[in-house]
Amino acid sequence: MRLTLRVWRQKNDRSPGAMKEYPVDGVSPDMSFLEMLDTLNERLTLEGEEPIAFDHDCREGICGACSLVINGDAHGPERTTACQLHMRSFRDGDTVDVEPWRAAAFPVVRDLVVDRSAFDRIIQAGGYVSVPTGAAPEAHATPVPKAAADAAFEHAECIGCGACVAACPNGSAMLFTSAKVNHLNVLPQGAPERETRVLDMVAQMDAEGFGGCTLTGECATACPKGIPLTSITSMNKEWLRANRKVSRD
Ligand code: SF4
Ligand code: FES
């Protein structure tokens, strides 16, 4: 296939960026989107032009590093990560726009790379459980109800990619934060920090400059791991419960 790519190029966080056009020939339908970018970068390097900077690591949909807005959609036209998107999703002759995540709390570092350290700070605010020192506890010492294990697993699927933020018209991080809060709050091991976790993580999310949630649902539509919108309502319930408990105590 022959495609025309229009790619966001930006030297650093202080310089203005612009879309730049690149024709790309010989694209196989079996290539991943990132492999297609690799071939373009090899050509740019040989021609003496700076290769396009983009984030990637596992290339198998588990690390959350890849972060491209493709033709206006976070991760592109399929419900998967950009590294798992294949060129068979495009047609010969297509023009494809490639941009970075666009959100106030995710400033562009260079080209298609954005700074997602705000997510790390939300995790640091409460995404952990207390583990007493001493001998390892007996296996199954803490029984976990099947329903709680299933709910925790569903929320633990969040890979922290940030597509939910990029897709949200408000630049909200509610889906990500709710996945991380609910993952631990439904488990008995997460009970000691149940209230502080949700209060501190939501406070950090607000401090990072993410927008508020107006339940447009774009986040859940873009999420490659299927984190449901009900995750946000569960977190809101947890937040109200924690506020009531803290004001009572
Ligand atoms: S909730 Fe989904 S879209 Fe958001 S960071 Fe987690 S995996 Fe990515
Ligand atoms: S590179 Fe790891 S999820 Fe895409």
Side-chain angles (χ1 to χ4, degrees):
M1 295 190 293
R2 179 185 168 85
L3 301 174
T4 303
L5 289 193
R6 292 191 304 208
V7 183
W8 184 260
R9 301 302 314 257
Q10 183 171 340
K11 202 170 170 50
N12 55 47
D13 58 346
R14 294 171 305 284
S15 57
M19 299 297 272
K20 185 159 181 192
E21 197 166 294
Y22 299 97
V24 188
D25 272 323
V27 175
S28 158
D30 298 326
M31 280 178 174
S32 75
F33 200 87
L34 301 192
E35 285 169 340
M36 184 274 299
L37 286 181
D38 289 340
T39 61
L40 172 59
N41 270 345
E42 279 169 15
R43 195 186 87 206
L44 294 181
T45 305
L46 290 173
E47 291 170 353
E49 184 175 339
E50 277 289 323
I52 298 158
F54 62 92
D55 265 330
H56 59 100
D57 189 5
C58 70
R59 297 199 176 206
E60 53 183 338
I62 54 173
C63 75
C66 57
S67 46
L68 305 174
V69 172
I70 301 166
N71 282 345
D73 291 322
H75 287 307
E78 312 286 341
R79 195 170 187 183
T80 186
T81 52
C83 60
Q84 295 277 284
L85 176 68
H86 287 84
M87 297 314 294
R88 63 183 80 99
S89 299
F90 301 89
R91 295 210 189 120
D92 185 35
D94 274 358
T95 297
V96 183
D97 290 342
V98 193
E99 298 171 82
W101 282 174
R102 304 271 187 205
F106 286 163
V108 173
V109 176
R110 181 185 178 92
D111 295 338
L112 304 172
V113 177
V114 298
D115 179 356
R116 283 174 284 179
S117 58
F119 270 11
D120 299 336
R121 291 186 288 276
I122 293 173
I123 295 287
Q124 284 164 2
Y128 51 82
V129 294
S130 296
V131 179
T133 54
E138 287 291 318
H140 305 304
T142 308
V144 180
K146 175 78 165 68
D150 288 349
F153 192 82
E154 181 181 34
H155 290 109
E157 285 199 54
C158 168
I159 55 174
C161 63
C164 45
V165 176
C168 176
N170 308 322
S172 171
M174 287 284 274
L175 195 69
F176 163 78
T177 308
S178 67
K180 299 304 176 191
V181 166
N182 294 326
H183 165 207
L184 298 177
N185 271 26
V186 296
L187 292 171
Q189 291 91 337
E193 298 89 2
R194 183 172 171 185
E195 290 80 28
T196 52
R197 175 177 301 113
V198 64
L199 295 176
D200 292 350
M201 290 178 82
V202 169
Q204 188 64 39
M205 178 188 78
D206 289 340
E208 295 291 347
F210 292 104
C213 174
T214 49
L215 283 178
T216 62
E218 297 289 333
C219 54
T221 304
C223 175
K225 297 298 163 183
I227 304 297
L229 203 54
T230 49
S231 184
I232 293 178
T233 46
S234 299
M235 181 176 75
N236 286 342
K237 277 190 210 157
E238 283 294 300
W239 188 86
L240 285 169
R241 180 190 164 281
N243 264 299
R244 275 203 299 270
K245 185 160 190 312
V246 166
S247 55
R248 265 201 319 267
D249 290 349

